[in-house]
Amino acid sequence: MKGFRILLAVSFCLLFAVSNAQETPELSLDKGSINSQFEFIYKKSGNYRSDGKKYEVVRTLSLDKLRQNVLDSLKGFNARTAELKATISTHEATIASINKKLEETTNNLEGVTEEKDSMSFLGILVSKVTYNSILWSIIAGLLGLMLFFMYKFRRSNILTQEAKTSLSEVEVEYEDHRRRALEREQKISRQLQDEINKYKKSK
């Protein structure tokens, strides 16, 4: 029973160690983050005390390797930064080009809208409202002139008819007067002839 307990305890310890080994990443100067590499050097370094101060002793080879790794990482970061800056510059140039095209399109759209809302009148570009006002004013003026000339024509026609009627009446009166004058002349002629005859008979 005692041996079984010991075996169980050892198995539990081994299982715990294996699980910890799987969870904790292996520290090395050949892989991992810069922070894990610093931790590796810290764990691998020796220490001593002198004058009451604690010192860490690091192998020069490990320090050189760590420095090279740091420089490589910085170089990679700088390259990535330069790449990102180039990408940003390209995007900024693209955005500037798009903004310019958008401005040109907006200006063209404003021009087309202004042209659409305007009409050419005697070579002058005027708004549709002004054009319609001028057009209707001209139509109203022409209509007024037409009505005025129609009134004048009708008035002239009435005056002409009245003149013709008056002329007919004058002609009738003239004919009547001429007829009466002729009758008087004939009457006077007969009277004169009668007097001549009387005179001749009296001799």
Side-chain angles (χ1 to χ4, degrees):
M1 188 71 179
K2 188 176 180 181
F4 179 74
R5 285 182 182 175
I6 293 172
L7 182 62
L8 188 63
V10 169
S11 298
F12 182 74
C13 288
L14 285 174
L15 187 64
F16 182 74
V18 168
S19 66
N20 277 346
Q22 287 177 351
E23 289 177 4
T24 305
E26 184 182 350
L27 299 177
S28 169
L29 287 176
D30 296 324
K31 59 183 179 179
S33 64
I34 298 295
N35 188 43
S36 67
Q37 292 179 26
F38 269 105
E39 192 175 341
F40 173 79
I41 286 183
Y42 184 75
K43 285 189 176 181
K44 292 295 182 180
S45 63
N47 54 69
Y48 72 94
R49 290 182 178 273
S50 175
D51 297 329
K53 296 179 181 178
K54 185 178 179 182
Y55 293 92
E56 294 291 333
V57 179
V58 181
R59 292 178 60 197
T60 305
L61 187 63
S62 297
L63 195 58
D64 289 341
K65 177 70 173 172
L66 178 62
R67 182 178 66 177
Q68 188 60 46
N69 290 346
V70 170
L71 291 175
D72 289 342
S73 296
L74 287 175
K75 186 178 178 182
F77 288 140
N78 289 336
R80 180 62 178 159
T81 302
E83 183 182 341
L84 290 175
K85 283 182 179 179
T87 304
I88 290 170
S89 297
T90 304
H91 288 172
E92 285 177 348
T94 305
I95 290 170
S97 175
I98 290 171
N99 286 335
K100 186 177 179 182
K101 287 181 181 177
L102 179 62
E103 186 178 354
E104 289 175 358
T105 305
T106 304
N107 292 335
N108 291 337
L109 181 61
E110 287 176 358
V112 169
T113 304
E114 186 178 350
E115 245 181 69
K116 183 182 174 186
D117 293 338
S118 302
M119 302 285 285
S120 180
F121 180 75
L122 300 176
I124 303 170
L125 201 65
V126 294
S127 66
K128 281 188 176 178
V129 176
T130 307
Y131 178 81
N132 287 336
S133 301
I134 293 171
L135 185 64
W136 284 110
S137 299
I138 291 172
I139 291 172
L142 291 174
L143 185 62
L145 285 173
M146 186 183 74
L147 291 174
F148 175 73
F149 284 120
M150 284 175 67
Y151 168 76
K152 293 293 284 183
F153 174 77
R154 188 169 180 183
R155 180 71 180 158
S156 298
N157 196 26
I158 291 170
L159 291 175
T160 303
Q161 292 298 328
E162 288 177 355
K164 284 182 178 180
T165 304
S166 298
L167 181 62
S168 297
E169 290 175 356
V170 168
E171 285 178 349
V172 170
E173 287 179 6
Y174 173 74
E175 286 295 326
D176 189 44
H177 175 71
R178 191 171 69 83
R179 184 179 52 78
R180 284 198 303 268
L182 186 61
E183 287 176 355
R184 269 198 313 270
E185 185 180 345
Q186 288 175 353
K187 185 178 179 181
I188 290 169
S189 295
R190 278 195 302 270
Q191 287 176 353
L192 181 61
Q193 189 65 39
D194 289 344
E195 289 295 326
I196 291 171
N197 290 338
K198 284 180 183 181
Y199 179 71
K200 283 181 180 180
K201 284 181 180 181
S202 65
K203 281 185 172 183

